[in-house]
Amino acid sequence: MGTSAYDPRSYWNELVTGDGRLSNVGQPALGVYNSYAYRSRLRSLKKALQGVDLGRMKVFEAAFGEGFYLAYWQSQRVPVVAGMDISEAATGAAKAKFPQYDFRCGDLSCKSDFADFGRFDVVTAIDVLYHIVNDKPWEQALRNLLSLVDDNGYFLFSDKFPRQGTYQRFSHVRRRSLSMWEQVLSDAGFTIRRLIPVFVFMDDPIKCGEHPWLGFLSMQQWRVGAKLLRVTQDFPKLQSVLAFSYATIQCLPERALLAMLKRTPNLELAVCSRSSSTTSHPRQPQRTAHSLR
Ligand SMILES: C[S@@+](CC[C@H](N)C(=O)[O-])C[C@H]1O[C@@H](n2cnc3c(N)ncnc32)[C@H](O)[C@@H]1O
C-alpha cells in the first residue's frame, strides 16, 4: 500500500489531543475497549521491567501520546522522565500534567530534535516506530533512540513481527520482521534479550507472523468483536456493555495463551540491551533483582 496519504505530523496532531482518552492512541473506533487492552499492555511492560528498581531509573519515553505510561512512571516514583511526541497537544498536556518531567514536541526521526536530552537507563518506544512507515526515517528514529541508552540500559519497543520482510495494510502502519529490527539493532551494538507477547486475541493479529493458524483464529474472532464495537460507537452505553462482555470472554483464553506461548501472531514487546553488557540468555524468563541483563 502506498504511504503518500499519511502525513505523520498532521495525522497525529489531529488524533492525539491530550484529553487523556485511550481511544486517541489505541483503536479509535473501539471506545472503552481500549482500557481493557491497555491493562494487558501494562502487564507486559511490568513483566519486561520486573526486577528493575524504577525508583532509581532515568526513563525516556518516545511518543508518550495520552500519557498512559507517564502515569505509571509517576506511580513508580521514577525520578527522571523525559519524552518526545510529534503531537503538540499531547506534549502540552503532558507538560501540564507532569510538570516535574521533561517533554518536547518533536519527530523521533529528526536527530536535531534530540539535542541535549542526555542518556537514560530505560528508553521505551511503545506502539510508535511502526508508525514511521518509510524505512530510512524509521532506521534513523531507532538509531536516535538507541543513542540515548546508557551503557547498562534497556531499550524496549513493540511491533507485530511478520516472519519475513514487511507487512502494511494501512498507510500509517508498517510491520517489520525481527531480522529487519535486528539488523539495525546489531549495527548499533544492541541485542534483543527477550520478546514478551502482549496480545493474542485483544488486538488485530497478523497471519504472516508466528503461529499463523493462531493468527487466523484470532483474526476471525477479532473481525466479529471489533465490528460489533465499531457499529455501536454512536451508542456509548451499549458499546461499553459490549466492550466489557467481549473483553471478559477473551480474558481467560488470552491469559492462558499468554502464559503458555513464547511468541504470538499479535503485538510483542522486545527488550534489548547493548551486546557488550553482561546479559542473561535471550528470551529467558526474568530472574532476580535487576535481571533483564
Ligand atoms: C499509537 S500512539 C501510542 C502512544 C503511546 N506510546 C501509547 O502506547 O499509549 C502513537 C504515538 O506516536 C506519536 N508519533 C507518531 N509518529 C511520531 C514521530 N515520528 N515522532 C514522534 N512521535 C510520533 C503520536 O503522536 C502518538 O502519540
Side-chain angles (χ1 to χ4, degrees), residues 27-103:
Q27 298 264 358
L30 305 193
V32 294
Y33 180 80
N34 287 290
S35 62
Y36 302 108
Y38 263 86
R39 281 184 208 171
S40 262
R41 288 187 165 98
L42 185 58
R43 265 195 296 275
S44 308
L45 179 65
K46 287 181 180 173
K47 210 170 171 182
L49 294 174
Q50 204 167 32
V52 174
D53 182 2
L54 284 173
R56 297 168 57 179
M57 296 282 124
K58 289 168 76 178
V59 172
F60 182 91
E61 186 174 339
F64 42 80
E66 294 293 347
F68 177 81
Y69 300 106
L70 298 180
Y72 178 64
W73 306 131
Q74 188 179 46
S75 76
Q76 297 303 300
R77 297 191 163 78
V78 177
V80 177
V81 177
M84 186 190 293
D85 199 288
I86 205 167
S87 159
E88 278 163 27
T91 311
K95 281 183 175 175
K97 207 164 170 195
F98 305 96
Q100 72 275 35
Y101 297 152
D102 174 15
F103 301 118

Side-chain angles (χ1 to χ4, degrees), residues 204-277:
D204 51 339
I206 56 172
K207 285 191 287 183
C208 53
E210 290 297 310
H211 307 303
W213 56 272
L214 186 57
F216 175 78
L217 187 73
S218 175
M219 189 161 280
Q220 303 314 307
Q221 65 81 38
W222 180 257
R223 277 194 181 134
V224 177
K227 177 146 197 189
L228 276 175
L229 294 172
R230 235 179 277 122
V231 298
T232 52
Q233 62 180 310
D234 292 334
F235 309 94
K237 281 192 179 150
L238 176 59
Q239 196 195 41
S240 294
V241 174
L242 284 174
F244 173 74
S245 311
Y246 184 36
T248 305
I249 292 167
Q250 288 174 312
C251 181
L252 207 63
E254 179 82 354
R255 294 280 195 105
L257 284 170
L258 286 178
M260 275 161 50
L261 294 175
K262 287 198 169 71
R263 300 291 312 276
T264 170
N266 211 315
L267 194 74
E268 296 176 289
L269 183 61
V271 181
C272 318
S273 64
R274 287 185 193 277
S275 313
S276 53
S277 66

Side-chain angles (χ1 to χ4, degrees), residues 6 8 12 16 24-26 38 41 61-66 68-69 84-87 90 106-109 126-128 130-132:
Y6 171 54
W12 292 108
V16 187
N24 299 345
V25 282
Y38 263 86
R41 288 187 165 98
E61 186 174 339
F64 42 80
E66 294 293 347
F68 177 81
Y69 300 106
M84 186 190 293
D85 199 288
I86 205 167
S87 159
D107 185 340
L108 296 173
S109 57
I126 301 176
D127 295 335
V128 59
Y130 52 76
H131 290 304
I132 303 181

Side-chain angles (χ1 to χ4, degrees), residues 156-173:
L156 275 59
F157 72 93
S158 60
D159 203 348
K160 298 173 188 176
F161 302 103
R163 280 190 292 186
Q164 285 179 340
T166 59
Y167 175 75
Q168 188 166 0
R169 254 180 77 214
F170 305 104
S171 62
H172 68 298
V173 182

